[in-house]
Amino acid sequence: MKIIAGNWKMNGTCASLESVVHDLSSVETNNRIILCVPYTMLGVKSDKIAIGAQDVSAHTHGAYTGEVSASMVADMGAKYTIIGHSECRQYHGDTNDTVRAKAEQALANGLIPIICVGETMDEKQAGKTMEIIESGVRESIPSDVNSDIIVAYEPRWAIGAGLTPTSDEIAAAHTLIANTLTDMGLSGTPVLYGASVKGSNAAEIMSIPNVDGVLVGGASLKSDDFIPIITSVK
Ligand code: PEP
């Protein structure tokens, strides 16, 4: 069983989500399917597909215009939320400290956070990939986790770029994350790979040791692109 999570970013409508949910509902799979969608679509219901958000506030409530709290996301019936996505780190200035505060909010409200870590192209070229990944895991995850979390390794230079690291690079990153999680007392935490996953590379990526599933951006928006990823593994 793998976890196949989609990230719709700022795309779609309730109608397009209902259509994809309908298409996915008839797919025979043992994999866990999650769609992380804009807040406005969190009310769309599905028996087979778990719905999640893409971010939550680091605060509980109050004068934070435009923000949405983890309790509000949970109130909509969502079960998951992405936290620390590359685009939130890039455009909203999220740091590992912010991500940890948001993950604490998610956990306190019964959501499963999908905590993203990964290196930029500058960090990769400076030979800092492993350092950034390990500090991302250690600093972004709250210290007292006692319910489910998911970690996603997303090389930031590869997201939406049609680029992927080599299988050896993905294996090295995922082994480091698995070992770091074990050292933190969180062995068994699922670790997803994300960045430019599509039907043609999904099976190979999910055969790499310590890859427990994928986080899919662009290719999760249309059933014709997403279903081959879901059915590429048992
Ligand atoms: C993402 O946004 O998390 C992502 C992995 O995007 P893409 O699959 O389009 O690279």
Side-chain angles (χ1 to χ4, degrees):
M1 194 280 290
K2 299 286 188 184
I3 299 172
I4 318 269
N7 171 18
W8 274 29
K9 311 194 188 206
M10 197 172 71
N11 293 295
T13 60
C14 289
S16 63
L17 178 59
E18 277 162 6
S19 166
V20 169
V21 161
H22 175 265
D23 294 344
L24 299 189
S25 299
S26 53
V27 174
E28 293 213 3
T29 179
N30 292 320
N31 299 319
R32 196 193 318 173
I33 315 301
I34 306 163
L35 281 175
C36 295
V37 297
Y39 296 125
T40 52
M41 301 173 205
L42 289 178
V44 172
K45 302 285 176 230
S46 167
D47 291 340
K48 289 179 78 173
I49 317 297
I51 301 292
Q54 301 170 6
D55 195 12
V56 292
S57 175
H59 308 283
T60 52
H61 64 275
Y64 300 99
T65 302
E67 296 199 25
V68 175
S69 70
S71 64
M72 294 169 182
V73 169
D75 187 45
M76 291 296 289
K79 299 282 179 261
Y80 295 84
T81 183
I82 295 172
I83 307 217
H85 189 275
S86 171
E87 288 144 22
C88 295
R89 291 177 185 261
Q90 182 177 350
Y91 302 132
H92 305 159
D94 280 10
T95 62
N96 288 338
D97 287 345
T98 322
V99 172
R100 191 175 63 252
K102 290 180 172 186
E104 283 166 1
Q105 289 295 322
L107 289 166
N109 287 283
L111 300 174
I112 299 177
I114 303 172
I115 300 171
C116 301
V117 300
E119 77 287 2
T120 62
M121 181 54 92
D122 283 352
E123 289 161 348
K124 177 180 170 62
Q125 287 174 339
K128 291 185 172 170
T129 297
M130 293 296 159
E131 186 187 317
I132 293 296
I133 292 171
E134 183 169 350
S135 60
V137 171
R138 289 193 185 278
E139 295 169 15
S140 300
I141 297 177
S143 54
D144 53 351
V145 173
N146 47 29
S147 54
D148 290 349
I149 64 166
I150 296 172
V151 172
Y153 168 55
E154 295 211 305
R156 297 176 59 183
W157 51 272
I159 294 174
L163 301 170
T164 45
T166 65
S167 294
D168 285 350
E169 287 172 328
I170 295 175
H174 279 252
T175 300
L176 171 64
I177 294 171
N179 290 342
T180 305
L181 288 166
T182 299
D183 188 52
M184 295 169 73
L186 296 170
S187 65
T189 296
V191 183
L192 313 184
Y193 167 80
S196 300
V197 175
K198 40 191 189 280
S200 56
N201 63 12
E204 186 184 340
I205 288 171
M206 285 190 271
S207 71
I208 296 170
N210 297 310
V211 175
D212 301 305
V214 286
L215 180 53
V216 184
S220 69
L221 284 167
K222 290 190 188 143
S223 309
D224 287 352
D225 295 328
F226 200 36
I227 290 172
I229 297 173
I230 295 169
T231 56
S232 70
V233 288
K234 296 282 174 229

